[in-house]
Amino acid sequence: MNITFCCANTRVGPWLADLRLALPQANVTEWQPGAPQADHAVVWAPPQQFMDEQPGLKGLFNIGAGVDALLKLRLPPSAKVVRLDDAGMSVQMAEYVCHAVIRHFREFDAYEADVAQGRWSYRKPRLRADFPVGVMGLGVLGERVAQALRQFDFPVHGWSRSPKAIDGVICHAGHAAFDSFLASCRVLVNLLPLTPETRDILNRDTLSRLRPEAYLINVARGDHLVEDDLLALLESGHMAGATLDVFRTEPLPAQHGFWKHPKITVTPHTSARTLREESIAQIAGKILAFERGDPIAGVVDPVRGY
């Protein structure tokens, strides 16, 4: 069994070494132009040339949860695209989102500003019931985030394309329930996959349907958000602020208005990073199951985009 590794902006050596340990029966190599055909590929942001030169691939194993960049390419006709289910990302995402929600709810950003000016200040405690949180996207990551938020006694709503049931979470499903979901939320967390249907879904119209003084947390993809619409709603006062980890252009350009906006917190696409050991264990298990003909989780439907 031949496995090729083609991952942009990744330290190749540790990945190759760990893949070889996990799959000692396989020949694992880094892809170079003109390389021999492989049975499976472990990839992140591969070039089109890679796809064109590997028409016989059976499996494309993506080392991240999002596959939108991969699906833009012309893929080998027989290859199944397989994404990671978790690999240590869901707990990181839950940490990040809970931190952002609590920082806003407890007004820690305002306290930080006061401390920077040498002011000893006090704010009246706010009620969690006044801050219902909505999670858009209830896959592996979204479900973990929703469950984590419930531990802090926030009312939690979830929205997904198909019906889901999560203990303690009010679940909404489908296009018909989208507006009522938005109207229920004062804090909105976006964890949707990026597809043609969800591109620009965070826009003036949808964000205006949130409760007044709403707060946005985007940890999915930058192309979900119409940036100028968010800025306009912050200016009008309908939106109280945002924590943004993903952007249409990354790295975020130095002159971008988000950097110094007083109501926006920026982080450099770090809400949930791929953990190598967990990812390799999962990928190796899926490759072996694939070769045995067993069903595997995480196979992407190219029509839906996830």
Side-chain angles (χ1 to χ4, degrees), residues 12 19 33 80 113 127 138 158 177 205 227 238 249 262 264 280 288:
V12 175
L19 280 166
K80 291 186 182 297
L127 300 176
L138 295 175
D205 177 58
E227 296 177 345
H238 178 75
T249 301
I264 294 177
I280 287 174
L288 293 174

Side-chain angles (χ1 to χ4, degrees), residues 194-231:
L194 181 64
T195 68
E197 188 179 30
T198 64
R199 186 179 301 274
D200 297 332
I201 195 170
L202 301 172
N203 55 51
R204 184 187 297 264
D205 177 58
T206 55
L207 295 175
S208 294
R209 296 173 190 273
L210 299 170
R211 292 190 180 189
E213 298 185 315
Y215 195 86
L216 173 66
I217 300 168
N218 189 18
V219 286
R221 287 291 184 266
D223 283 344
H224 284 125
L225 174 64
V226 180
E227 296 177 345
D228 286 344
D229 287 1
L230 172 62
L231 290 171

Side-chain angles (χ1 to χ4, degrees), residues 135-146:
V135 180
M136 295 171 61
L138 295 175
V140 173
L141 301 183
E143 181 172 347
R144 181 66 178 269
V145 166

